[in-house]
Amino acid sequence: MAAMTPTAPDTAAGGATPAPTRPAAARRDRRGRPRIWRGAVLGLAAAYFLLPLAASFVFTVHVPGQGISFDAYTGLLGAEGFTSSLLLSLGLAAATIVLSLALAVPALVAVRIGAPRLRPVVEVMCMLPLVVPPIALVTGISTVLRWGPDHLSRTPLYRTFLAVQDESFPVVLVLAYTVLALPFVYRSLDAGLRAVDVPTLVEAARNCGASWTRTVLRVILPNLRSSLAGAAFLTLALVLGEFTIASLLGFQPFAVWIVSISGSQARMSVAVSVLSLVVTWALLLVLSRAGTAPGTTAPRKES
């Protein structure tokens, strides 16, 4: 009589569920490993950013021999030049954001719709400021500013050279910061345009009777909300932290003011740096929330 081979237990008939096999357990282990590595990387990144910030905060509040004191923070508003330099930097940042977006958005949309073959040329032109050092840029700007009054003193452009160097609001810094921010603005907007089918949206909007202005304002820009917010934040961070150009041209925005008081009031300068970093991250959260609003699609055809 032939020997009968044992069969597996019938789980469908109410038998006990077999223990998980090794391949299934291995798959679960592999799924768990990325979470562990992700947590480790995030922990190291948090330590890299937060430990220097915590050390700076301790330096500002701990006075040897006196204990804990918040005088470095309470004396900020009364410090000479704090309010004026901060307002100047915020004004320069706002003007730089508006000018850079006004230049980049129409150009990139036009290239995306009408001349996609020109995209590499536009990319090279927008990325050139990364190659030119700021010291070389400010040297060229100062040379032009010195050359202008000498050769254009009898022309209407003479007053223009004086106006762009007004200490209350130096327009020359806005122009220089726009050049420096152009690569970051381009990268942010280009990523947003690649994620959106711009030609299809434009064609649908135009077929519905929308003008070019309405198409750009009501169809394209809402779909680029996150990219616009990212470009605005990068430009804001660049302007608030830029020192070389403003210092060599003789102006005193926020970054130059921090360096100017660091020699006489070290704790206050570090306190200002800590607060500026916190404010910058707060603005990042605000802009990121503004950029996560849902975009709009092409308008419906009106009957």
Side-chain angles (χ1 to χ4, degrees):
M1 185 173 182
M4 300 181 61
T5 57
T7 59
D10 188 7
T11 57
T17 303
T21 60
R22 289 184 179 180
R27 286 194 297 270
R28 283 199 297 270
D29 291 340
R30 285 194 297 268
R31 286 196 297 266
R33 288 175 185 174
R35 297 181 181 179
I36 297 176
W37 283 108
R38 190 182 309 163
V41 171
L42 291 178
L44 290 175
Y48 179 80
F49 285 104
L50 294 180
L51 286 180
L53 184 62
S56 301
F57 178 75
V58 171
F59 173 77
T60 57
V61 299
H62 178 68
V63 181
Q66 299 182 10
I68 303 299
S69 175
F70 292 91
D71 293 340
Y73 293 93
T74 56
L76 282 178
L77 295 179
E80 183 180 0
F82 171 77
T83 304
S84 59
S85 63
L86 180 59
L87 292 178
L88 176 59
S89 291
L90 292 178
L92 293 174
T96 304
I97 291 172
V98 172
L99 181 58
S100 59
L101 292 180
L103 292 174
V105 172
L108 294 182
V109 171
V111 169
R112 186 76 175 177
I113 297 174
R117 294 184 178 181
L118 293 179
R119 182 183 170 276
V121 179
V122 176
E123 181 178 5
V124 170
M125 294 178 60
C126 292
M127 302 305 292
L128 278 178
L130 292 178
V131 182
V132 181
I135 187 67
L137 179 62
V138 71
T139 301
I141 293 175
S142 60
T143 302
V144 173
L145 293 179
R146 289 195 303 266
W147 172 85
D150 295 337
H151 295 78
L152 303 176
S153 58
R154 298 181 180 180
T155 64
L157 292 177
Y158 175 73
R159 294 184 176 273
T160 303
F161 274 89
L162 297 180
V164 297
Q165 302 178 67
D166 187 4
E167 293 185 357
S168 61
F169 190 82
V171 180
V172 63
L173 288 183
V174 176
L175 301 177
Y177 292 161
T178 301
V179 174
L180 293 179
L182 193 58
F184 308 103
V185 174
Y186 170 80
R187 282 302 184 193
S188 180
L189 295 179
D190 183 65
L193 289 172
R194 288 191 176 199
V196 178
D197 192 357
V198 177
T200 302
L201 290 176
V202 172
E203 182 179 357
R206 295 289 291 167
N207 290 336
C208 291
S211 62
W212 279 107
T213 303
R214 183 179 178 86
T215 300
V216 173
L217 296 180
R218 300 296 299 274
V219 178
I220 297 179
L221 291 185
N223 285 282
L224 298 178
R225 196 184 299 266
S226 59
S227 299
L228 294 173
F233 169 72
L234 292 174
T235 305
L236 174 65
L238 185 146
V239 173
L240 289 179
E242 202 286 321
F243 170 80
T244 304
I245 296 178
S247 176
L248 293 180
L249 290 180
F251 302 107
Q252 195 179 47
F254 194 54
V256 179
W257 180 81
I258 292 177
V259 176
S260 65
I261 68 167
S262 61
S264 58
Q265 305 181 48
R267 283 189 173 81
M268 181 175 291
S269 66
V270 176
V272 173
S273 301
V274 172
L275 287 180
S276 64
L277 183 60
V278 173
V279 170
T280 302
W281 280 103
L283 291 175
L284 171 62
L285 294 178
V286 173
L287 292 175
S288 62
R289 291 291 299 271
T292 54
T296 60
T297 57
R300 297 181 179 179
K301 187 175 181 179
E302 298 179 357
S303 57

